[in-house]
Amino acid sequence: MKAERIQSSSHMDLVSQNRCFGGTQSVFRHRSEVCDTDMTFGLYLPPQAERGSVPLLWYLSGLTCTHENAMTKAGLQAHAAQHGIALVFPDTSPRGEGVADDDAYDLGQGAGFYVNATREPWKAHYQMYDYIVRELRALLQGAMPVSGAHGITGHSMGGHGALTIAFRNPTLFRSVSAFAPIVNPTRSDWGRKQLLAYLGHDESQWADYDASLLLDRLGWHGDILIDQGDADQFLDLLKPEAMAQVIAAKRQPATLRMQAGYDHSYYFVSSFGEDHVRWHAERLKDQ
Amino acid sequence: MKAERIQSSSHMDLVSQNRCFGGTQSVFRHRSEVCDTDMTFGLYLPPQAERGSVPLLWYLSGLTCTHENAMTKAGLQAHAAQHGIALVFPDTSPRGEGVADDDAYDLGQGAGFYVNATREPWKAHYQMYDYIVRELRALLQGAMPVSGAHGITGHSMGGHGALTIAFRNPTLFRSVSAFAPIVNPTRSDWGRKQLLAYLGHDESQWADYDASLLLDRLGWHGDILIDQGDADQFLDLLKPEAMAQVIAAKRQPATLRMQAGYDHSYYFVSSFGEDHVRWHAERLKDQ
């Protein structure tokens, strides 16, 4: 399916489209059934998508971000064009009038934490786990020139999303990596507050959204790539040591890189973006 | 001079600093004498600057931009790190309380057009030409590990700035390129309004700020690289045909590339950023 045909999709409105590294960076808006509101996402199709379906790499963003931040700042399109893979940049929460929110930057809009909320006032719209895993994935595979070979990555809260979604859906995702992910939210102030709000007091419900607990319980069929800056101002909240401990105990194939001097910013993500895109491309094209 | 020493400079305050592609992306604020206000700029130093002085590529930004847009969106640091050159991202105008402004996006703050204003209310602060050519250049050479080998590029209004500043200062700049530059502002609605406001009714004063007129009058000692998207929504205002005509008439060595499908956005700049940085690096290291 060629890019020109996408515009006519009845499922989505094309918000913007820009030529980028020989491919196309688009933004779409669509009605989400599971979030019961409009949702916006960015999609990069490399030049190779003009000739057939290409693998798809999901990039989940962090707290306060929309679909737009990584799309404009992470510089991943250059590498996606080189390797012939598509990129999708979902939003980080439902948004808009009638969607519950909170004054804090780390709860509510911009902070969906990729969970299916079960508590008021969140459950009506905050169904980001199902939105990613079921709805948006099906929408993309039906309407875009993307193959069934999917990888997933993300930054910070989005790294948490990438790891938890991959570990719980090993048949849907072939490769997983993360930039400075929140890996143990059930024991972090970036996690406990939100899991309590979205899921309630029964902490056994939280375990499905904790990458370290999930890896320990479920394992992972491939290797894992995680980059972390050692000058990250949020290191205490991310808890990379929790994931490292599970990886060691389980003998899980993984590459954890502590990068000297890097902080939590997009400068960190962009500095290692080429490595991650190549890493996914190798695994997505290999099968 | 090493990066650590920069923080102690009495001339500048360090606003932020991030590790980026093995080098350092910093933002500085300093008191500008020629603009009589505080000015902010971004500076990227590649890893090679830890071991000695490196060439410097100036990137001048377009209308509505600050020092920050290209720094976060153009993805040039990856290429600068690869080639061992520094990048400076100046602001596009003086700013702040007491600095004249206009409600229009294309006049006043964010729209300095890289001229020395001679008219009220602009002349007190709008001295962007001297700020770039004299003050900031001297400041950087005195306080940063940059050599005397300077190149200059820019986007849109910043492309206009790059071309006009280079053509008028061939001993200070060894290489020049531009992305979708305004090349004939004396005959464009992106130019006539601003030159009238900043310089007054005597159009003979405007000629010093028109790249096509300057190239015709002064020539240029090297070759010139200009990229332009053929889907640029502002093509009629940029007037690439005016520059092409002078280049043909003068037999000026130049590469003008009309890039199919690209618009005026940073996606266009980032798509060809690698080419421009390499092009400058080759010319700055060659001498």
Side-chain angles (χ1 to χ4, degrees), chain A residues 12 44 75 117 122 143 203 205-207 219 228 247 257 263:
Chain A
M12 292 178 279
Y44 178 70
W122 309 107
E203 294 194 19
Q205 303 297 313
W206 302 8
Q228 172 66 56
I247 284 167
R257 305 194 298 192
D263 58 31

Side-chain angles (χ1 to χ4, degrees), chain B residues 58-78:
Chain B
W58 294 70
Y59 183 99
L60 304 186
S61 292
L63 287 166
T64 76
C65 291
T66 68
H67 67 283
E68 194 177 20
N69 303 63
M71 197 178 90
T72 57
K73 290 180 162 184
L76 301 177
Q77 294 93 344

